Amino acid sequence: MYILGIESSCDDTSVALLKCSPKGHIVLAEKTASQIDIHVKYGGVVPEIAGRLHAEKIVPLIEAVLKKQPKPEAIAVTSGPGLVTGLLVGVTAAQTLSFATNIPLISVNHLEGHIHSVELAPDGALGQSINQFPALCLVVSGGHTELILMKKHGDYQILGSTKDDAAGECFDKVAKLLHLPYPGGPQISKLAETGITSAIPFPRPMLDQNNFDFSFAGLKTSALYWLRNNKLSAERFNSITLPAGIYGQPQESPTINDFAASIEQAIIDVLVIKTLRAIDKYQPKTVILAGGVAANKKLRETLKKEIKLVAPPLAYCMDNGAMIAVAGYYYALKKKFTPWSELVVDPNWKIGAKKS
Ligand code: KG4
Ligand code: ZN
């Protein structure tokens, strides 16, 4: 079945055409326009600018992806959660296309898309289906940190989520304190490679609580206070060009690398420990790690040491239209379509719940 996937919930406009089947899926064409170069100037995603850039790119991307390809049999589009300015662009484009061509529409939850990114394989190869249930999914991105129990395709229960900042947001905000460019996750994890994880004893928030919720805002504040207490304003160092001792002497400890390694370890410890507790309680047959932070090598390796982990190829960790097409495929199989006139965006759509 040929499925067109459209994603525009944050700062990537992404469109993909997939050939999906029970044996796996092949990406026939995909195009993504990243807005990072623009948002980097502001240190984060600016919703108004994001909406305008999505609007500029969406039609040319759809046109490029569909060129010389078979006609899609369904259009899957992210309709929440995310930035309303971006969601509206993708959804309106999908509605228009559906109206003009009579191709049926599928409304996809962004997190459901991330979960299905594990079914993708790079370079035109066949991806492997999620077929052992229940599956426990840790979805970690710039906007989300959720532990989700997937009972089957289309059936989800949120076990826990962040009460404030997402894990990726914590990486990004700490990176901002260091004047590192957005998105900060990859920057912090690169610096952390040569740092000492125990150099600074950052807290492990909410580990003392017997639930599957997270909180990362306090961790960011601890990082800020630590820098302040050690008389380090962000202006004083630019870590990329100055991998010197934080106190100013070249190799004096803790270095910027130690700082990055310590904060990364704190985030990873919380994610891993809560995931292992959920595994203990729910005994899942599959454990999935997905979302932008799934690109973090240390997080993947730490989980892999403990359990058999299913994670997306690095190329599909970040937002992409292909994962939306895969999630949509399972609805198309059951003919669960939404008429174009009834498709609405819901910026706060919780996976597993009805849209508001
Ligand atoms: O899924 P995504 O592309 O967008 C959202 O839905 O939010 O995730 C982007 C997030 C950013 O916060 C970014 O810093 C984080 O993923 N990220 C990482 C890494 N690569 C991307 N965080 C930690 N380590 C990485 N290697
Ligand atoms: Zn995402």
Side-chain angles (χ1 to χ4, degrees):
M1 194 184 290
Y2 295 103
I3 315 266
L4 183 71
I6 300 177
E7 158 63 37
S8 63
S9 68
C10 190
D11 57 352
D12 289 302
T13 324
S14 184
V15 181
L17 182 71
L18 269 70
K19 186 177 179 185
C20 297
S21 81
K23 288 192 203 124
H25 325 293
I26 302 171
V27 180
L28 299 176
E30 61 184 324
K31 293 268 176 213
T32 298
S34 168
Q35 306 176 355
I36 284 183
D37 289 352
I38 311 286
H39 297 298
V40 82
K41 293 180 205 145
Y42 305 94
V45 181
V46 183
E48 288 75 13
I49 297 175
R52 209 175 68 214
L53 294 173
H54 283 304
E56 278 171 19
K57 297 288 181 195
I58 193 87
V59 175
L61 291 188
I62 293 174
E63 191 183 25
V65 163
L66 292 182
K67 206 167 195 170
K68 298 198 184 131
Q69 294 289 353
K71 187 177 170 187
E73 293 157 84
I75 304 163
V77 61
T78 306
S79 58
L83 297 175
V84 72
T85 51
L87 293 167
L88 277 171
V89 173
V91 165
T92 308
Q95 284 172 311
T96 312
L97 195 59
S98 172
F99 171 74
T101 59
N102 274 327
I103 300 172
L105 269 184
I106 300 159
S107 167
V108 172
N109 180 291
H110 182 73
L111 270 72
E112 188 171 15
H114 272 303
I115 291 171
H116 284 85
S117 66
V118 302
E119 296 198 0
L120 290 162
D123 308 323
L126 261 185
Q128 206 195 323
S129 304
I130 309 166
N131 51 21
Q132 300 284 310
F133 298 105
L136 179 75
C137 316
L138 174 65
V139 183
V140 259
S141 71
H144 302 277
T145 305
E146 326 247 13
L147 269 168
I148 298 162
L149 195 65
M150 176 184 187
K151 292 163 196 163
K152 59 180 192 232
H153 295 280
D155 187 348
Y156 307 91
Q157 179 194 345
I158 298 180
L159 304 177
S161 55
T162 182
K163 294 290 159 209
D164 39 59
D165 291 354
E169 196 175 357
C170 184
F171 273 111
D172 295 340
K173 286 181 173 171
V174 171
K176 203 170 171 181
L177 296 175
L178 304 179
H179 273 202
L180 294 169
Y182 172 85
Q187 311 277 345
I188 297 271
S189 61
K190 180 93 193 92
L191 285 171
E193 276 172 18
T194 51
I196 299 163
T197 54
S198 57
I200 305 167
F202 286 119
R204 271 55 173 166
M206 296 198 61
L207 276 191
D208 54 339
Q209 293 191 19
N210 190 19
N211 57 31
F212 301 111
D213 289 331
F214 302 91
S215 163
F216 290 103
L219 195 48
K220 170 206 66 194
T221 311
S222 302
L224 171 69
Y225 285 169
W226 192 89
L227 291 170
R228 214 183 259 167
N229 294 343
N230 290 279
K231 297 194 174 48
L232 289 162
S233 69
E235 286 72 31
R236 276 199 46 209
F237 54 57
N238 176 334
S239 53
I240 298 293
T241 53
L242 229 180
I246 277 185
Y247 297 105
Q249 298 305 312
Q251 293 311 323
E252 192 179 337
S253 185
T255 63
I256 186 72
N257 303 80
D258 296 338
F259 177 88
S262 300
I263 198 81
E264 181 185 58
Q265 192 63 51
I267 297 171
I268 290 176
D269 279 354
V270 175
L271 293 174
V272 169
I273 291 171
K274 289 253 168 171
T275 304
L276 294 179
R277 284 183 193 165
I279 292 172
D280 227 33
K281 179 160 180 190
Y282 292 96
Q283 302 286 315
K285 299 246 166 55
T286 309
V287 182
I288 290 171
L289 171 69
V293 182
N296 186 283
K297 206 167 136 203
K298 187 152 200 192
L299 175 61
R300 282 180 181 241
E301 282 170 1
T302 312
L303 278 167
K304 273 186 184 161
K305 263 188 226 150
E306 302 287 338
I307 40 139
K308 191 165 168 279
L309 183 73
V310 183
L314 284 183
Y316 292 113
C317 285
M318 306 293 268
D319 293 348
N320 62 85
M323 69 187 193
I324 303 303
V326 176
Y329 165 66
Y330 290 96
Y331 290 103
L333 280 180
K334 293 186 198 147
K335 302 211 180 317
K336 284 196 172 176
F337 302 118
T338 305
W340 71 263
S341 56
E342 288 172 26
L343 183 60
V344 287
V345 305
D346 180 354
N348 302 310
W349 185 12
K350 299 236 179 306
I351 188 171
K354 279 220 176 318
K355 274 202 281 180
S356 60

